[in-house]
Amino acid sequence: MLFNSYAFIFLFLPIVLLGTFALGRLGHLVPVIWLALASLAFYGFGNWQFVPLLLASVAFNYAIGYLLIERKLQPSARRAALIAGVGGDLVILGIFKYAGFFAANLDAVFGTSLTVNILLPVGISFYTFTQIAFLVDAFSGNVARYALPHYALFVTYFPHLIAGPILHHRDMIPQFERAEIKRPNAHLILCGTIIFAIGLFKKTCLADGIQPLVSLAFGASAPLSFDHAWIGALAYTFQLYFDFSGYSDMAIGISLMFGVFLPLNFNSPYKAQSIVDFWRRWHMTLSKFLRDYLYIPLGGNRRGRVPRYVNLMVTMLLGGLWHGAAWTFVAWGALHGIYLCINHAWNHLVPAPPPRFALAAKLAAGTLTFVAVVVAWVFFRADSFASALTVLSGMANPATVILGRDEVANILLIAVYAAIVWFAPNTQTLMRYDHERRMVGAGEIELRPFPLYAAAAVLACGILGIQQHSEFIYFRF
Amino acid sequence: MSIPARNLLRLLGASAVLLWLAAALNFAVDPLQLFRPSRLFQPMYSNDVRLQNAGLIQSQDFDTVFMGTSLGIHYRQSDIDRALGGHSVKLTMQGSSSREQAFVLEETLRQRHPKRIVWEMDDFIFCDAPEIDADIYLPAGLYRRDAKGIAGYLFSGTMARESAWMLLRAIPHLRPAVDRLAKFSISDVDDINVLARDTDIAALYNANNAFASFVRITDPARAAYLGEGYGYESEVQNFERDVAALIARYPDVQFDIYFPPYSILQWVAMRDASPATLKIVYELTGHVARRLTRFSNVRLFDFRAIAEITHDLGNYSDVIHHSPDVDLKVLSMLARGEYPVDRAAPTASLDQLKAQAAAYRVER
């Protein structure tokens, strides 16, 4: 089920909200079970064939977690349990996500004529990573015992299940155990509705609105003109941001209506002053996961500069592959790995500019970062290397500019989007959303009519913008 | 009631009011002319034919329907009327499947009872296509006029934007500015999806373009696409479900069906790069010809083997799409009843085509 659908907004969400609060009178556990069942229904709508896999994954990881947390196992047995748990998760992910890719590469190299076509279960990358983190923490002794319903809800919780944010058990399960989830809180529902409205507007009006421009570059036949290539690449840059951050806003808003604070996933990433800064602002929950469960266990920056760069490259290559089973994603990850290495080397070797050049340096750094990110997105979006190189060739060849009336109109539209991402405040700033302190909103929203009616207009525009069928880009990862 | 609760109600109430205002605007202006022909406002049409056709069916006066794919997309209704008589509506849809075409025709026949269907029929429309209600490009509810379709239309931001343009355009002082800004608006139904009058026809339709397309689709790296979706059994089933059954349900309607004149390069491409696909196409269209010639309310024409058109590559922009000149020739041939498929020998023209395709030598 899509957040940007009439069925979700006018049927599913109100029913689940009312059900949760009505069942809250029956005790602590009933609304948790209700929410977990509702989450399965949400997932099963259109993906019913993958519900058993999701349930099996939850049961498997809970059982391994039980062994690690409850049973007094010998260290070697604990290690074996962890390897079995993480290995099992990765095998399942590998079969469903990477078997076709692996077979295609074998065929390309050895001419095996082997093809594997397996449907990708929606959200498998997200719920697998969520549970790997749980197992690793359980192994390290950082997890208290959780009841099965709370654990099941943590994994399946519908606001995040399909495309994140990637949740952490220590953040979520204690919230599910609190009494707030069982009682309606008008302030949280109001703020949640507004955040949801902003996310819906980002998706249906901004991301879907610029989508037609993307096809000017991607999918067009070669050679591409300079302006079409840039318009297409920039359009995708903004489409992806508004699509995914819109989804994340909607997830945060929906969860807030239930009294549960989800972590932030975006913090104006295109305002980043460096690639390091970009990764602190883009898909923040994935960055944190990769840092805590891959980069640091690999050694992080503790063993000197060269191992650090190797660790960065490995982390980013695997991060690229996590997004999809294709060499274009690996190339995207590799590019960002190289960017990060250069960024760290620069920070190490080049002194900070003198204060009188600080503004110019900041502008140059911001521009360079943005252009580097746009170039990398070309690989992320392209169906093949050939397609990516076609777009990049167009972007690098100013001699082929067209700049007719349509192109000027498209550039103006791109400029509007650029102004929004560079100069407008982001959702958490507007809403004073503080995940750490579990706080949201301020007095103005309750007192002043203008923000309230502006939010109403945003919600109405978001609903009016719903198209017949418009999936989120990150659903495929 | 607490302040946040009151504000929540205000927020939801104000959103609901705005949604209903948009719906009221859409109903009053009715940009697709779904409820009534446009009288208060000058009509505006869209090239998004899968959406626009739902309105054309309701708003236009017609006794003839012209159906097909991109092969029939550039025809002018006025040319069809001049050549064939009567009053036509063009409902051709780029890349449409037989399922989509049959659905649109069925709704048109059911709601407006036209006398004649002129059907440009390609072999590739019978490849498998999604169910109509799973077809994300065709708003089936708008054609059926069911509650979901009408609600989707009234509560659509895109439609509200179009309505606002039309409303502004109705103000004489604003009209020039609106016409400049709404550059894609079409005010004459005859202009939907036709080539712009200043189109350089010679630059678009010439032997170089046709041959470049031939080279592209026969490239070994791409040749597999030639046969994508083809399967004799499934295509015959789709033909029976979408065409034969529809014709049988409307015995009082005249169906004038024709196989369009692709360039000879289309057949040669399949011959050289995907012979299995060519075999399927031959067998399928043979079956179609045999079945259609059994219906008394069908006249079938086969323009595929008219060498003076199909061998002149200057008529084409790629291996199948022909120029507006050929559009007019097709209409003229339909009007004069030329190249009919003989009921006694329904595959004779197919045999001619096979011979031409086998004999043709490409000069590289």
Side-chain angles (χ1 to χ4, degrees), chain A residues 6 10 186-187 189-190 193-194 405-406 409-410 445-447 449 451-453 455-461 463-469, chain B residues 2-5 7-8 10-12 14-15 18-19 22 135-140 151-152 154-158 160 179-181 183-184:
Chain A
Y6 302 121
F10 294 114
H187 174 69
I189 295 175
L190 173 65
T193 305
I194 296 173
R405 183 178 159 171
D406 289 352
N410 292 338
I445 286 172
E446 292 175 6
L447 297 174
L452 194 72
Y453 293 121
V458 167
L459 179 59
C461 288
I463 293 172
L464 288 169
I466 292 173
Q467 294 176 8
Q468 198 179 19
H469 186 90
Chain B
S2 67
I3 292 173
N7 280 338
L8 180 63
R10 276 187 193 151
L11 172 79
L12 297 177
S15 291
L18 290 171
L19 287 173
D135 185 334
I136 59 173
Y137 302 108
L138 192 82
L154 291 178
F155 291 98
S156 159
T158 308
D179 282 344
R180 270 202 303 277
L181 289 169
K183 57 193 161 75
F184 298 117

Coordinates of all heavy atoms in Angstrom, one line a residue, chain A residues 6 10 186-187 189-190 193-194 405-406 409-410 445-447 449 451-453 455-461 463-469, chain B residues 2-5 7-8 10-12 14-15 18-19 22 135-140 151-152 154-158 160 179-181 183-184:
Chain A
Y6 N -5.4 7.1 -1.9 CA -6.7 7.5 -1.2 C -7.0 6.4 -0.2 O -7.4 6.7 0.9 CB -7.8 7.6 -2.2 CG -7.6 8.6 -3.2 CD1 -7.6 8.3 -4.6 CD2 -7.4 10.0 -2.9 CE1 -7.5 9.2 -5.6 CE2 -7.3 10.9 -3.9 CZ -7.3 10.5 -5.2 OH -7.1 11.5 -6.2
F10 N -7.5 7.8 3.5 CA -8.9 7.9 4.0 C -9.5 6.7 4.6 O -10.6 6.7 5.2 CB -9.8 8.3 2.8 CG -9.5 9.7 2.3 CD1 -9.0 9.9 1.0 CD2 -9.6 10.8 3.1 CE1 -8.6 11.2 0.6 CE2 -9.3 12.1 2.7 CZ -8.8 12.3 1.4
A186 N -3.6 14.9 21.0 CA -4.0 15.8 20.0 C -2.9 16.6 19.4 O -2.8 16.8 18.2 CB -5.1 16.7 20.5
H187 N -1.9 17.0 20.3 CA -0.8 17.8 19.8 C 0.1 17.0 18.8 O 0.5 17.4 17.8 CB 0.0 18.3 21.0 CG 1.3 19.0 20.6 ND1 1.3 20.2 20.0 CD2 2.6 18.6 20.7 CE1 2.5 20.5 19.7 NE2 3.4 19.6 20.1
I189 N -0.9 14.3 17.2 CA -1.6 14.0 15.9 C -1.6 15.2 15.0 O -1.5 15.1 13.8 CB -3.1 13.5 16.3 CG1 -3.0 12.2 17.1 CG2 -3.9 13.4 15.0 CD1 -4.4 11.8 17.6
L190 N -1.8 16.4 15.6 CA -1.8 17.6 14.8 C -0.4 17.8 14.1 O -0.3 18.0 12.9 CB -2.1 18.8 15.7 CG -1.9 20.2 15.0 CD1 -2.9 20.4 13.9 CD2 -2.0 21.3 16.1
T193 N 0.1 15.1 11.5 CA -0.6 15.4 10.3 C 0.1 16.5 9.4 O 0.1 16.3 8.2 CB -2.0 15.9 10.7 OG1 -2.6 14.9 11.5 CG2 -2.9 16.1 9.4
I194 N 0.6 17.5 10.1 CA 1.3 18.5 9.3 C 2.6 18.0 8.6 O 2.8 18.3 7.5 CB 1.6 19.8 10.2 CG1 0.3 20.4 10.7 CG2 2.4 20.8 9.4 CD1 0.5 21.5 11.7
R405 N 12.7 27.5 -26.4 CA 11.7 28.0 -25.4 C 11.4 26.9 -24.3 O 11.3 27.2 -23.2 CB 10.5 28.3 -26.2 CG 9.4 28.8 -25.4 CD 8.2 29.2 -26.2 NE 7.0 29.2 -25.4 CZ 5.8 29.7 -25.8 NH1 5.7 30.1 -27.1 NH2 4.8 29.7 -25.0
D406 N 11.3 25.7 -24.8 CA 11.1 24.6 -23.8 C 12.2 24.4 -22.8 O 12.0 24.2 -21.6 CB 10.9 23.2 -24.5 CG 9.6 23.2 -25.3 OD1 8.8 24.1 -25.1 OD2 9.4 22.3 -26.1
A409 N 12.1 27.2 -20.2 CA 11.0 26.9 -19.3 C 11.4 25.8 -18.3 O 11.2 25.9 -17.1 CB 9.7 26.5 -20.0
N410 N 12.1 24.8 -18.8 CA 12.6 23.7 -17.9 C 13.6 24.2 -16.9 O 13.6 23.8 -15.8 CB 13.1 22.5 -18.7 CG 12.0 21.8 -19.5 OD1 10.8 21.9 -19.2 ND2 12.4 21.2 -20.6
I445 N 2.0 27.2 16.2 CA 1.1 26.4 15.4 C -0.3 26.4 16.2 O -1.3 26.4 15.5 CB 1.7 25.0 15.2 CG1 2.8 25.1 14.2 CG2 0.6 24.0 14.8 CD1 3.5 23.9 14.0
E446 N -0.2 26.4 17.5 CA -1.5 26.3 18.2 C -2.2 27.6 18.3 O -3.4 27.7 18.4 CB -1.2 25.8 19.6 CG -0.7 24.4 19.6 CD -0.3 23.9 21.0 OE1 -0.5 24.6 22.0 OE2 0.2 22.8 21.1
L447 N -1.4 28.7 18.1 CA -2.0 30.0 18.3 C -2.3 30.8 17.0 O -3.3 31.4 16.9 CB -1.1 30.9 19.2 CG -0.9 30.3 20.6 CD1 0.1 31.2 21.4 CD2 -2.2 30.3 21.4
P449 N -3.2 31.5 13.2 CA -4.0 30.7 12.1 C -3.2 30.5 10.8 O -3.4 29.5 10.1 CB -5.2 31.6 11.9 CG -4.8 33.0 12.4 CD -3.8 32.8 13.4
P451 N 0.0 29.6 9.9 CA 0.7 28.3 9.7 C -0.3 27.2 9.6 O -0.1 26.2 8.8 CB 1.6 28.1 10.9 CG 1.7 29.5 11.5 CD 0.5 30.2 11.2
L452 N -1.4 27.3 10.3 CA -2.4 26.2 10.4 C -3.0 26.1 9.0 O -3.2 25.0 8.4 CB -3.4 26.5 11.4 CG -4.3 25.3 11.8 CD1 -3.5 24.3 12.6 CD2 -5.4 25.8 12.7
Y453 N -3.5 27.3 8.5 CA -4.2 27.2 7.2 C -3.2 27.0 6.0 O -3.6 26.4 5.0 CB -5.0 28.5 7.0 CG -6.1 28.5 8.0 CD1 -6.3 29.6 8.9 CD2 -7.1 27.5 8.0 CE1 -7.3 29.6 9.8 CE2 -8.1 27.5 9.0 CZ -8.2 28.5 9.9 OH -9.2 28.5 10.8
A455 N -0.7 24.9 6.3 CA -0.6 23.5 6.4 C -1.8 22.8 5.8 O -1.7 21.8 5.1 CB -0.4 23.0 7.8
A456 N -3.0 23.4 6.0 CA -4.2 22.8 5.4 C -4.1 22.9 3.9 O -4.5 21.9 3.2 CB -5.4 23.6 5.9
A457 N -3.6 24.0 3.3 CA -3.4 24.1 1.9 C -2.4 23.1 1.4 O -2.6 22.5 0.3 CB -3.0 25.5 1.5
V458 N -1.3 22.9 2.1 CA -0.3 21.9 1.7 C -0.9 20.5 1.7 O -0.7 19.7 0.8 CB 0.9 22.0 2.7 CG1 1.8 20.8 2.5 CG2 1.7 23.3 2.4
L459 N -1.7 20.2 2.7 CA -2.3 18.9 2.8 C -3.3 18.7 1.6 O -3.3 17.7 0.9 CB -3.1 18.7 4.1 CG -3.8 17.4 4.3 CD1 -2.9 16.2 4.2 CD2 -4.6 17.4 5.6
A460 N -4.1 19.7 1.3 CA -5.1 19.7 0.2 C -4.3 19.5 -1.1 O -4.7 18.7 -2.0 CB -5.9 20.9 0.2
C461 N -3.3 20.3 -1.3 CA -2.5 20.2 -2.6 C -1.9 18.8 -2.7 O -1.8 18.2 -3.8 CB -1.4 21.2 -2.6 SG -2.0 22.9 -2.9
I463 N -3.0 16.0 -1.5 CA -4.0 15.0 -1.8 C -4.5 15.2 -3.3 O -4.6 14.2 -4.0 CB -5.2 15.1 -0.8 CG1 -4.8 14.7 0.6 CG2 -6.4 14.3 -1.3 CD1 -5.8 15.0 1.6
L464 N -4.6 16.5 -3.7 CA -5.0 16.7 -5.1 C -4.0 16.2 -6.1 O -4.3 15.9 -7.2 CB -5.3 18.2 -5.3 CG -6.6 18.8 -4.7 CD1 -6.5 20.3 -4.7 CD2 -7.8 18.2 -5.4
G465 N -2.7 16.2 -5.6 CA -1.6 15.8 -6.5 C -1.5 14.3 -6.6 O -0.7 13.8 -7.4
I466 N -2.3 13.5 -5.9 CA -2.2 12.0 -5.9 C -2.5 11.6 -7.3 O -3.6 11.9 -7.9 CB -3.1 11.4 -4.9 CG1 -2.6 11.6 -3.5 CG2 -3.1 9.8 -5.2 CD1 -3.5 11.1 -2.4
Q467 N -1.6 10.8 -7.9 CA -1.9 10.3 -9.3 C -2.3 8.9 -9.2 O -2.3 8.3 -8.1 CB -0.6 10.4 -10.1 CG -0.2 11.9 -10.4 CD 1.1 12.0 -11.2 OE1 1.6 11.0 -11.6 NE2 1.5 13.2 -11.3
Q468 N -2.8 8.4 -10.3 CA -3.3 7.0 -10.3 C -2.4 6.0 -9.7 O -2.7 5.2 -8.9 CB -3.7 6.6 -11.7 CG -4.7 5.4 -11.7 CD -5.0 5.1 -13.1 OE1 -4.3 5.4 -14.1 NE2 -6.1 4.4 -13.3
H469 N -1.1 6.1 -10.0 CA -0.1 5.2 -9.5 C 1.2 5.8 -9.5 O 1.8 6.1 -10.6 CB -0.1 3.9 -10.3 CG 0.7 2.8 -9.7 ND1 0.2 1.9 -8.8 CD2 2.0 2.5 -9.9 CE1 1.2 1.1 -8.4 NE2 2.3 1.4 -9.1
Chain B
S2 N -9.4 20.6 23.8 CA -8.1 21.2 23.9 C -7.8 22.0 22.7 O -8.4 21.8 21.6 CB -7.0 20.2 24.2 OG -6.9 19.4 23.0
I3 N -6.8 22.9 22.9 CA -6.4 23.8 21.7 C -5.9 22.9 20.6 O -6.3 23.1 19.4 CB -5.4 24.9 22.2 CG1 -6.1 25.8 23.1 CG2 -4.8 25.6 21.0 CD1 -5.2 26.9 23.7
P4 N -5.0 22.0 20.9 CA -4.5 21.2 19.7 C -5.6 20.4 19.0 O -5.6 20.3 17.8 CB -3.5 20.2 20.4 CG -3.1 20.9 21.6 CD -4.3 21.7 22.1
A5 N -6.6 19.9 19.8 CA -7.7 19.2 19.2 C -8.5 20.1 18.3 O -8.9 19.7 17.2 CB -8.5 18.5 20.2
N7 N -7.4 22.8 16.8 CA -6.6 23.1 15.7 C -6.5 22.0 14.7 O -6.5 22.2 13.5 CB -5.2 23.5 16.1 CG -5.1 24.9 16.6 OD1 -5.9 25.7 16.3 ND2 -4.1 25.2 17.4
L8 N -6.5 20.8 15.2 CA -6.5 19.6 14.3 C -7.8 19.6 13.5 O -7.8 19.4 12.3 CB -6.4 18.3 15.1 CG -6.4 17.0 14.4 CD1 -5.2 16.9 13.4 CD2 -6.4 15.8 15.3
R10 N -9.6 22.2 12.8 CA -9.5 23.3 11.8 C -8.7 22.9 10.6 O -9.1 23.2 9.5 CB -8.9 24.5 12.5 CG -9.8 25.4 13.3 CD -9.1 26.6 13.8 NE -9.8 27.3 14.8 CZ -9.3 28.1 15.7 NH1 -8.0 28.2 15.8 NH2 -10.1 28.7 16.6
L11 N -7.6 22.3 10.9 CA -6.7 21.9 9.8 C -7.4 20.9 8.8 O -7.4 21.1 7.6 CB -5.5 21.2 10.4 CG -4.5 20.5 9.4 CD1 -3.6 21.6 8.8 CD2 -3.6 19.5 10.1
L12 N -8.0 19.9 9.4 CA -8.7 18.9 8.5 C -9.9 19.5 7.8 O -10.2 19.3 6.7 CB -9.1 17.7 9.4 CG -8.0 16.9 10.0 CD1 -8.5 15.8 10.9 CD2 -7.0 16.4 9.0
A14 N -10.3 22.8 7.0 CA -9.9 23.7 6.0 C -9.4 22.9 4.8 O -9.6 23.3 3.6 CB -8.7 24.6 6.5
S15 N -8.7 21.8 5.0 CA -8.2 20.9 3.9 C -9.4 20.4 3.1 O -9.4 20.4 1.9 CB -7.4 19.8 4.4 OG -6.2 20.2 4.9
L18 N -10.9 23.1 0.9 CA -10.1 23.3 -0.3 C -10.3 22.2 -1.3 O -10.4 22.5 -2.5 CB -8.6 23.5 0.1 CG -8.2 24.7 0.9 CD1 -6.8 24.7 1.4 CD2 -8.4 25.9 0.0
L19 N -10.3 21.0 -0.8 CA -10.5 19.9 -1.7 C -11.9 20.0 -2.4 O -12.0 19.8 -3.7 CB -10.5 18.5 -0.9 CG -9.1 18.1 -0.4 CD1 -9.3 16.8 0.5 CD2 -8.2 17.8 -1.6
A22 N -11.8 22.7 -5.1 CA -11.1 22.2 -6.3 C -12.1 21.3 -7.1 O -12.1 21.4 -8.3 CB -9.8 21.4 -5.9
D135 N -4.0 -1.3 -15.4 CA -3.3 -0.5 -16.4 C -3.1 0.9 -15.8 O -4.1 1.6 -15.7 CB -4.1 -0.5 -17.7 CG -3.4 0.2 -18.8 OD1 -2.5 1.1 -18.5 OD2 -3.7 -0.1 -20.0
I136 N -1.8 1.2 -15.5 CA -1.6 2.5 -14.8 C -1.8 3.7 -15.7 O -1.8 4.8 -15.2 CB -0.3 2.5 -14.0 CG1 0.9 2.3 -15.0 CG2 -0.2 1.5 -13.0 CD1 2.2 2.5 -14.4
Y137 N -1.8 3.5 -17.0 CA -1.9 4.6 -17.9 C -3.3 4.9 -18.4 O -3.5 6.0 -18.9 CB -1.0 4.3 -19.2 CG 0.4 4.0 -18.8 CD1 1.0 2.7 -18.9 CD2 1.2 5.0 -18.4 CE1 2.3 2.5 -18.5 CE2 2.6 4.8 -18.0 CZ 3.1 3.5 -18.1 OH 4.4 3.3 -17.7
L138 N -4.2 4.0 -18.2 CA -5.6 4.2 -18.7 C -6.5 4.4 -17.6 O -6.7 3.4 -16.8 CB -6.0 3.0 -19.6 CG -7.3 3.2 -20.4 CD1 -7.0 3.9 -21.7 CD2 -7.9 1.9 -20.7
P139 N -7.1 5.6 -17.4 CA -8.0 5.8 -16.3 C -9.4 5.1 -16.6 O -10.4 5.8 -17.0 CB -8.1 7.3 -16.2 CG -7.9 7.8 -17.6 CD -7.0 6.8 -18.2
A140 N -9.5 3.8 -16.3 CA -10.7 3.0 -16.7 C -11.9 3.6 -16.1 O -13.0 3.6 -16.7 CB -10.5 1.6 -16.3
A151 N -14.6 10.6 -9.0 CA -13.9 11.2 -7.8 C -12.5 11.5 -8.2 O -12.0 12.6 -7.8 CB -14.0 10.3 -6.6
G152 N -11.8 10.6 -8.9 CA -10.4 10.9 -9.2 C -10.3 12.1 -10.1 O -9.3 12.8 -10.1
L154 N -12.6 14.7 -10.3 CA -12.9 15.9 -9.6 C -11.9 16.4 -8.6 O -11.7 17.6 -8.4 CB -14.3 15.7 -8.9 CG -15.5 15.6 -9.8 CD1 -16.8 15.4 -9.0 CD2 -15.7 16.8 -10.7
F155 N -11.3 15.4 -7.9 CA -10.3 15.7 -6.9 C -8.9 15.6 -7.4 O -8.0 15.2 -6.7 CB -10.5 14.8 -5.7 CG -11.8 15.1 -4.9 CD1 -12.9 14.3 -5.2 CD2 -11.9 16.2 -4.1 CE1 -14.1 14.6 -4.5 CE2 -13.1 16.4 -3.4 CZ -14.2 15.6 -3.6
S156 N -8.7 16.0 -8.6 CA -7.4 16.0 -9.2 C -6.7 17.4 -9.3 O -7.4 18.3 -9.8 CB -7.5 15.4 -10.7 OG -6.3 15.8 -11.4
G157 N -5.5 17.5 -8.8 CA -4.9 18.8 -8.9 C -4.5 19.2 -10.3 O -4.6 20.3 -10.6
T158 N -4.1 18.2 -11.1 CA -3.8 18.5 -12.5 C -5.0 19.1 -13.2 O -4.9 20.0 -13.9 CB -3.4 17.2 -13.2 OG1 -2.4 16.6 -12.4 CG2 -2.9 17.5 -14.6
A160 N -7.5 20.6 -11.7 CA -7.8 21.9 -11.1 C -6.9 22.9 -11.8 O -7.4 24.1 -12.1 CB -7.6 21.8 -9.6
D179 N -2.4 32.2 -23.2 CA -2.1 31.5 -24.4 C -0.6 31.3 -24.5 O -0.1 30.3 -25.0 CB -2.7 32.1 -25.7 CG -4.1 31.8 -25.8 OD1 -4.6 30.9 -25.1 OD2 -4.8 32.5 -26.6
R180 N 0.1 32.4 -24.1 CA 1.6 32.3 -24.2 C 2.1 31.3 -23.1 O 3.1 30.6 -23.4 CB 2.2 33.7 -23.9 CG 2.4 34.5 -25.2 CD 3.5 35.6 -25.0 NE 3.1 36.5 -23.9 CZ 2.3 37.5 -24.0 NH1 1.7 37.8 -25.2 NH2 2.1 38.3 -23.0
L181 N 1.5 31.4 -21.9 CA 2.1 30.5 -20.9 C 1.6 29.1 -21.0 O 2.5 28.2 -20.9 CB 1.5 31.0 -19.5 CG 2.2 32.4 -19.1 CD1 1.4 32.9 -17.9 CD2 3.6 32.2 -18.7
K183 N 1.5 26.8 -23.2 CA 1.9 26.6 -24.5 C 1.5 25.3 -25.1 O 1.5 25.1 -26.3 CB 3.4 26.6 -24.6 CG 4.2 25.6 -23.7 CD 5.6 26.0 -23.6 CE 6.3 25.4 -22.4 NZ 6.6 24.0 -22.4
F184 N 1.1 24.3 -24.3 CA 0.7 23.0 -24.8 C -0.8 22.9 -25.0 O -1.3 21.8 -25.4 CB 1.1 21.9 -23.9 CG 2.6 21.9 -23.8 CD1 3.2 22.1 -22.6 CD2 3.4 21.7 -24.9 CE1 4.6 22.1 -22.4 CE2 4.8 21.6 -24.8 CZ 5.4 21.9 -23.6

